[in-house]
Amino acid sequence: MSDERTFFNEMLDEANKPRQPYARLAKWLEDKPANFLTKKGRDAETIFRRLGITFAVYGTEESTERLIPFDPIPRIISASEWRHLSAGIDQRVRALNAFLHDIYHRQEILRAGRIPADLVLQNEAFLPEMAGFTPARKVYAHIIGTDLVRVSENEFYVLEDNTRTPSGVSYMMENRETMMRLFPELFQSHRVAAVEQYPENLLQTLESVAPDPSKSSQTIVVLTPGIYNSAYFEHAFLADSMGVELVEGRDLFVDAGHVFMRTTREPKQVDVIYRRIDDAFLDPLTFNPGSMLGVPGLFDAYRAGNVTICNAPGTGIADDKAIYAYVPDIIEFYTGQKPILNNVPTWNCSRPDDLAYVLDNLEEIVVKEVHGSGGYGMLIGPTASKREIAEFRKVLETNPSNYIAQPTLALSACPTHVASGVAPRHVDLRPYVLIGDQVRITPGGLTRVALKKGSLVVNSSQGGGTKDTWVLED
Amino acid sequence: MLGRTASSLFWMSRYHERAQNVSRLLEVACRGAIISHSGQEDGTHWTFALACSDCETGFKQKYEELNARNMASHMIFSKDNPSSVRSSLELARNNARAVRTGITAELWEAINTTWIEFTDVSPQSITQEKLPDFLSWINQRAHLFRGALLNTILRDDGYFFSQMGNFVERSDNTARILDTYYWTLLPDSDIIDDGSLEHYQWSAILRALSGRRSYRFAYPNARLKAFNIAEFLILRTEMPRSLAHCYDWMADTAEDLAQFYGSREPSLDMAADMARDLAEKQMHEIYQQGLHDFLSDFINKNNQFAHQLCEDYNFA
């Protein structure tokens, strides 16, 4: 989308006056000398690099580890805005968990005809192996990162639900630590809700879903694919801040239906696995036989109720892009309430009518792969060239059922430090939600920012950066 | 603790020690190349570094000329040479990354910053004139790593396994350097000129093991002498790179491990036996057995000890 279109500026109103939550920050920004933020940005980069807060970009040769650009201007959300958001998120994650329990048991929602049965049962993300199994507390998706965008004062849309293995929470934590080092004075003049309790909350959540919650101490582990994974830093960070072991598949084995880790002494039984590897790689005996990352026999131990896997296998069906369009129905079906947060209207290209509309309006809309992620394989009509659109049209016509389309949303923009000074750049927001004995939503989240002028792509793999996100307290 | 964590801590320390040892060998060679010695062929100094680090064959396959540029390229920056400083630093850091949860922030920052700054250096910028400064920087970074380890890490099993890695590598390095030039350390090669090749080699051996100055304190008023040098580097426990010193530490660490886990594994007895042997041994007995035999035997036993340790504690 070009900048001539109207978008919601989170800091300044139509008269270029700061909105209330940004009042102090706007004044502070005005008072600072021109090169102040440049210097602070450099300080931040040094901190990140030394701490090794990096991510890997697949397919780039020259370096396997990169920094995500960090923007030193915080994004601010008022207390009342946050109450609205968190109520909506709470409602949504409860409904999605109820949906998962239902489709792996009685499938009431399919019988009621609210979702086409094929869309669920023929979906790659639906795991028949999970049918009839009930995880502890009936929770399937314990860790969710809800992607939101804002288009006006009170209008937020959910873009994606991320119910598999959402990442980025370590950036939420480290961005805050860095901001506190860089601008202590700003924290004195604002009442910013803390995010530092996240690891503690994560640990409580994981403990609450252990197979035998009455045990006096639970052995929790974080399962990582290893140091070459793009999110390895985060895996280590989470294990470290919870004080639990960071394991790879080869550190675990299954014996007599229980999962153990190989220690320097006797094997130690594991109760809960926070896995950061995909379903397909969990257990070579049940899923992908070529997986070197998983643990043979893990799934059987899980179904026997001897270990909890978080998130549960098969949660991907709840954030499938084809299912997404039905989430408002899912919410109504299981909660009996109207959705608090909006869903983006979605055209399903497998439907001929929808496809025809999408092909007629490629210049105006966003087209995404059903199973894609990370901003790859998508078309943003308003910013694409004629050639890109023509090429995408061919791909879409060949395999329409692989795509969905949505109107281009006018993403809100936040003040961002750029070469020319401070300018609005488009942002999204991913708050982190934990579901166990209760639903815990950390006030804040990860704000991703499209650093290029006019760009709507916030993915770090596509040149996006991050910001610290401040939820103000009343 | 995971067996894999123990293994990573062991190798993190071991590779750091190796990086430092290689850079010290190069420092000695650089020095030799600057101070000319009569009667020496060109490249003798470089050969010393190549031979002691077991890199001679690999070097000759790639390069014809022995000079500072080729040496730096092979011994410092090469991605193919598994013993290059770069390979060691990278492996040390990968092992540290694998146990990010098991090491302190200070230790990680020391390791990570070394790696970042090392990879920022372009090999072309390290000319013969700049090489000594660069090597001393590598040395200082290795000291920083040891300092951060000793000052910040908890004294638990993680610490014990890192210490084992450090001293297994150090004693192996000392034994290999001695064995490479063992004939210059035989007692009958004592009467030689100050400017001779043997004299240069003695001094190189001592420098390569950071012992040139401390030798003077251990043997006051004594000139360089084969018997003393061998004794200093093998049996004197006050010399921090001697075989006896290394096994003193390892025996203590073995005792700590036994106490920590409440059980004594075979590798711990091996370390204690090795330490006792070295403490009781006299230099003339070693000469009787044959210096070369003694050193090869030591290198073997040291390897066996490392293998047994991996086995006893389920290193992955």
Side-chain angles (χ1 to χ4, degrees):
Chain A
M1 171 188 307
S2 65
D3 261 16
E4 296 87 64
R5 288 220 192 180
T6 52
F7 56 82
F8 181 73
N9 185 321
E10 295 196 5
M11 180 164 83
L12 301 173
D13 65 15
E14 290 71 18
N16 257 345
K17 291 268 175 317
R19 297 176 196 278
Q20 205 277 322
Y22 275 92
R24 288 200 170 108
L25 183 75
K27 174 84 178 60
W28 179 85
L29 278 172
E30 228 175 75
D31 292 346
K32 292 295 170 198
N35 62 354
F36 174 74
L37 286 174
T38 311
K39 191 192 158 299
K40 289 291 184 180
R42 266 204 306 273
D43 291 351
E45 193 179 311
T46 310
I47 296 173
F48 284 129
R49 200 172 276 287
R50 295 224 159 167
L51 295 176
I53 304 176
T54 56
F55 76 107
V57 181
Y58 298 117
T60 56
E61 235 181 83
E62 80 321 326
S63 100
T64 51
E65 290 166 41
R66 290 218 197 145
L67 292 180
I68 296 187
F70 171 71
D71 182 70
I73 305 176
R75 190 243 192 113
I76 301 182
I77 295 169
S78 74
S80 62
E81 286 163 350
W82 181 252
R83 272 192 294 276
H84 170 69
L85 280 180
S86 50
I89 293 168
D90 184 284
Q91 178 194 49
R92 208 166 160 107
V93 300
R94 286 176 196 272
L96 289 172
N97 270 296
F99 167 69
L100 285 162
H101 183 260
D102 183 30
I103 60 161
Y104 288 121
H105 290 84
R106 294 179 51 80
Q107 304 184 335
E108 303 283 2
I109 197 165
L110 305 185
R111 293 176 203 213
R114 299 291 289 267
I115 301 180
D118 277 3
L119 207 56
V120 173
L121 304 179
Q122 302 301 316
N123 199 307
E124 276 176 42
F126 178 77
L127 279 194
E129 292 87 346
M130 285 295 287
F133 174 72
T134 307
R137 292 183 190 270
K138 294 189 187 175
V139 179
Y140 288 74
H142 311 82
I143 297 110
I144 291 181
T146 311
D147 281 349
L148 297 158
V149 295
R150 182 176 198 178
V151 299
S152 74
E153 182 83 55
N154 291 309
E155 228 182 327
F156 289 87
Y157 283 88
V158 175
L159 276 188
E160 279 179 38
D161 289 291
N162 297 307
T163 57
R164 304 173 201 215
T165 52
S167 63
V169 74
S170 58
Y171 293 98
M172 170 182 85
M173 308 277 304
E174 292 292 0
N175 285 355
R176 178 62 55 83
E177 286 300 314
T178 305
M179 288 295 278
M180 287 167 62
R181 277 208 225 176
L182 295 179
F183 310 116
E185 72 276 18
L186 278 179
F187 286 88
Q188 278 167 349
S189 59
H190 292 80
R191 291 188 57 193
V192 183
V195 295
E196 65 182 16
Q197 68 281 17
Y198 180 84
E200 186 62 35
N201 288 346
L202 176 59
L203 189 62
Q204 286 169 334
T205 300
L206 297 171
E207 281 172 347
S208 76
V209 293
D212 175 8
S214 66
K215 260 171 71 172
S216 63
S217 102
Q218 306 289 352
T219 302
I220 315 263
V221 299
V222 177
L223 175 60
T224 175
I227 63 168
Y228 298 108
N229 183 268
S230 67
Y232 177 77
F233 162 74
E234 177 157 305
H235 308 161
F237 175 90
L238 289 172
D240 194 25
S241 44
M242 286 192 287
V244 306
E245 290 287 359
L246 177 65
V247 303
E248 294 179 17
R250 59 194 163 119
D251 297 320
L252 300 179
F253 65 96
V254 175
D255 186 33
H258 290 82
V259 180
F260 295 89
M261 56 182 170
R262 298 177 216 275
T263 74
T264 51
R265 302 284 71 210
E266 283 69 44
K268 183 147 200 230
Q269 196 186 322
V270 173
D271 300 300
V272 183
I273 300 173
Y274 175 23
R275 51 87 174 233
R276 293 294 295 257
I277 69 179
D278 292 342
D279 285 354
F281 300 103
L282 273 179
D283 180 350
L285 299 183
T286 304
F287 305 110
N288 182 353
S291 170
M292 305 289 286
L293 305 175
V295 186
L298 176 58
F299 196 73
D300 285 345
Y302 176 64
R303 284 208 49 136
N306 294 331
V307 67
T308 301
I309 299 174
C310 299
N311 290 349
T315 52
I317 186 72
D319 72 2
D320 185 80
K321 289 198 177 71
I323 298 293
Y324 168 84
Y326 295 91
V327 175
D329 299 293
I330 289 174
I331 293 172
E332 287 195 36
F333 188 80
Y334 297 106
T335 68
Q337 300 163 347
K338 290 274 169 213
I340 298 170
L341 296 172
N342 302 312
N343 227 43
V344 186
T346 302
W347 297 285
N348 209 328
C349 298
S350 59
R351 288 199 290 252
D353 287 359
D354 285 15
L355 177 64
Y357 179 85
V358 170
L359 288 170
D360 283 349
N361 292 278
L362 277 180
E363 293 80 6
E364 301 295 320
I365 60 185
V366 179
V367 189
K368 296 175 178 173
E369 272 186 324
V370 175
H371 302 294
S373 69
Y376 293 105
M378 65 188 286
L379 176 83
I380 300 177
T383 58
S385 67
K386 283 214 163 67
R387 215 176 113 195
E388 284 168 332
I389 291 178
E391 279 168 6
F392 204 89
R393 181 184 301 278
K394 275 189 233 155
V395 179
L396 180 57
E397 279 170 338
T398 331
N399 188 10
S401 64
N402 194 34
Y403 293 92
I404 56 149
Q406 295 170 336
T408 312
L409 296 176
L411 261 59
S412 62
C414 288
T416 301
H417 175 233
V418 297
S420 57
V422 176
R425 289 290 181 267
H426 296 293
V427 294
D428 77 351
L429 173 65
R430 178 181 291 181
Y432 292 92
V433 197
L434 296 165
I435 305 105
D437 52 340
Q438 47 177 289
V439 175
R440 298 177 171 92
I441 308 174
T442 308
L446 181 66
T447 290
R448 296 185 297 176
V449 52
L451 295 170
K452 258 195 353 222
K453 189 175 180 187
S455 169
L456 294 170
V457 185
V458 295
N459 302 80
S460 53
S461 49
Q462 311 269 307
T466 70
K467 282 171 165 293
D468 190 15
T469 309
W470 292 6
V471 169
L472 298 185
E473 293 178 327
D474 279 332
Chain B
M1 169 180 286
L2 291 175
R4 184 172 54 83
T5 303
S7 166
S8 287
L9 290 168
F10 178 89
W11 284 104
M12 169 190 78
S13 275
R14 197 162 174 183
Y15 282 122
H16 249 99
E17 178 71 21
R18 188 172 295 175
Q20 188 180 26
N21 291 341
V22 167
S23 88
R24 211 179 312 96
L25 279 173
L26 283 172
E27 281 189 297
V28 174
C30 271
R31 193 188 148 83
I34 297 164
I35 309 165
S36 70
H37 288 266
S38 57
Q40 278 185 243
E41 292 169 33
D42 280 355
T44 310
H45 333 283
W46 302 120
T47 312
F48 172 80
L50 283 174
C52 290
S53 55
D54 219 5
C55 288
E56 218 168 352
T57 326
F59 182 87
K60 283 182 177 154
Q61 279 165 3
K62 261 177 91 178
Y63 302 97
E64 287 184 0
E65 200 182 336
L66 264 176
N67 58 31
R69 177 156 294 246
N70 289 346
M71 281 296 285
S73 158
H74 188 65
M75 303 283 294
I76 301 179
F77 296 106
S78 168
K79 292 179 190 172
D80 312 324
N81 175 7
S83 304
S84 73
V85 171
R86 185 198 158 91
S87 299
S88 291
L89 289 179
E90 184 169 21
L91 288 164
R93 178 172 178 272
N94 279 351
N95 276 290
R97 263 194 105 198
V99 291
R100 266 296 292 272
T101 52
I103 59 176
T104 60
E106 288 89 344
L107 189 52
W108 168 252
E109 281 197 41
I111 295 167
N112 197 37
T113 307
T114 304
W115 176 247
I116 291 165
E117 292 180 7
F118 181 86
T119 46
D120 280 346
V121 172
S122 105
Q124 285 74 33
S125 71
I126 303 301
T127 54
Q128 182 160 2
E129 294 71 50
K130 291 202 177 139
L131 191 52
D133 279 351
F134 186 57
L135 291 167
S136 99
W137 174 80
I138 294 171
N139 245 314
Q140 282 166 16
R141 296 301 306 183
H143 287 313
L144 188 72
F145 163 79
R146 279 295 288 167
L149 182 107
L150 294 173
N151 286 335
T152 65
I153 198 172
L154 272 182
R155 264 39 177 185
D156 59 9
D157 41 354
Y159 168 72
F160 304 143
F161 290 120
S162 344
Q163 287 291 64
M164 288 296 195
N166 189 79
F167 286 107
V168 163
E169 181 66 22
R170 185 178 291 183
S171 60
D172 180 77
N173 178 63
T174 299
R176 275 176 202 281
I177 290 177
L178 292 175
D179 198 31
T180 307
Y181 288 91
Y182 78 93
W183 66 85
T184 69
L185 294 169
L186 299 177
D188 55 5
S189 52
D190 265 2
I191 305 148
I192 43 173
D193 305 333
D194 281 358
S196 71
L197 180 59
E198 280 85 352
H199 190 273
Y200 165 73
Q201 272 159 347
W202 285 351
S203 152
I205 289 167
L206 282 169
R207 279 183 209 283
L209 297 167
S210 306
R212 187 69 179 83
R213 287 277 172 90
S214 43
Y215 175 86
R216 293 277 172 231
F217 291 96
Y219 299 89
N221 309 319
R223 297 182 48 185
L224 290 185
K225 202 170 152 215
F227 183 95
N228 290 355
I229 295 172
E231 182 186 64
F232 184 52
L233 297 174
I234 297 172
L235 296 178
R236 293 284 288 257
T237 49
E238 65 268 49
M239 164 58 185
R241 296 190 172 271
S242 76
L243 306 187
H245 176 91
C246 292
Y247 265 90
D248 244 20
W249 265 98
M250 282 147 83
D252 284 354
T253 305
E255 197 48 51
D256 291 338
L257 268 172
Q259 279 195 10
F260 186 86
Y261 284 127
S263 70
R264 183 172 288 281
E265 306 308 316
S267 54
L268 306 187
D269 289 333
M270 284 169 80
D273 289 349
M274 295 270 281
R276 198 178 324 103
D277 277 358
L278 286 165
E280 288 167 358
K281 198 71 91 213
Q282 298 290 325
M283 203 52 221
H284 65 84
E285 294 170 332
I286 293 177
Y287 280 128
Q288 249 165 28
Q289 180 191 343
L291 182 58
H292 174 60
D293 278 358
F294 170 83
L295 290 167
S296 327
D297 188 45
F298 176 87
I299 292 169
N300 270 335
K301 282 185 179 156
N302 190 40
N303 271 336
Q304 281 164 18
F305 163 74
H307 282 302
Q308 191 61 46
L309 188 76
C310 300
E311 195 141 302
D312 289 347
Y313 295 98
N314 305 316
F315 283 20

